[in-house]
Amino acid sequence: MSAEGAVYSILAASAAVGAICGDRISPHQRLQGTSLPAIVYSVQDFEPFRGLGGTVGLTSATVSISAIASTYAGAKSLAAAVIGAMNGTTGTHDGTVIKSLHYLQQTPTDTGIGEGEEDLPYEIVTQYRIHYTGL
């Protein structure tokens, strides 16, 4: 039970995401040798909600998801599939109860992980705010 597990579960269950990148979904960094397109995700900036009596069992965090592909069009398509899978999702995923999950922004970046400039893949990072209960 964790926000990271919930994010993986949502992405892995999406038919649109799976049609583009299969099961190439990794936390924190792309595994060496992983073919493209692929997804890398991370959950950070955890902040427990507090009430007058202390914490209320709800946590807020930022989710960043990188859609990486060999072409810009491929990265855009994968990012659109990720947004479709993530935005507005609620319910229980991998034992974590998601109260709200909302898209915040999208940023194209240069990943800098190719052999030479001609080998650099395209990356589009989308960010979300998640509110959940669980660990």
Side-chain angles (χ1 to χ4, degrees):
M1 293 189 333
S2 71
E4 284 185 347
V7 169
Y8 179 85
S9 177
I10 293 163
L11 293 170
S14 168
V17 169
I20 297 172
C21 74
D23 64 352
R24 294 181 299 275
I25 303 169
S26 305
H28 305 291
Q29 66 182 15
R30 193 176 99 190
L31 300 176
Q32 188 171 1
T34 302
S35 60
L36 297 176
I39 291 174
V40 175
Y41 66 93
S42 66
V43 182
Q44 63 270 341
D45 302 327
F46 297 92
E47 182 179 341
F49 280 81
R50 300 187 191 289
L52 293 175
T55 61
V56 296
L58 187 65
T59 302
S60 176
T62 301
V63 177
S64 294
I65 301 175
S66 297
I68 307 167
S70 57
T71 66
Y72 182 66
K76 289 283 286 182
S77 293
L78 183 52
V82 167
I83 291 168
M86 296 289 290
N87 192 38
T89 296
T90 59
T92 302
H93 301 272
D94 193 46
T96 298
V97 179
I98 298 175
K99 299 295 186 177
S100 69
L101 178 58
H102 296 286
Y103 171 75
L104 297 174
Q105 66 183 3
Q106 174 176 295
T107 308
T109 65
D110 178 1
T111 61
I113 56 174
E115 297 280 330
E117 282 195 34
E118 70 280 358
D119 295 328
L120 293 176
Y122 291 88
E123 177 181 25
I124 297 176
V125 178
T126 54
Q127 289 190 319
Y128 308 82
R129 175 59 65 187
I130 184 173
H131 298 104
Y132 66 96
T133 60
L135 300 175

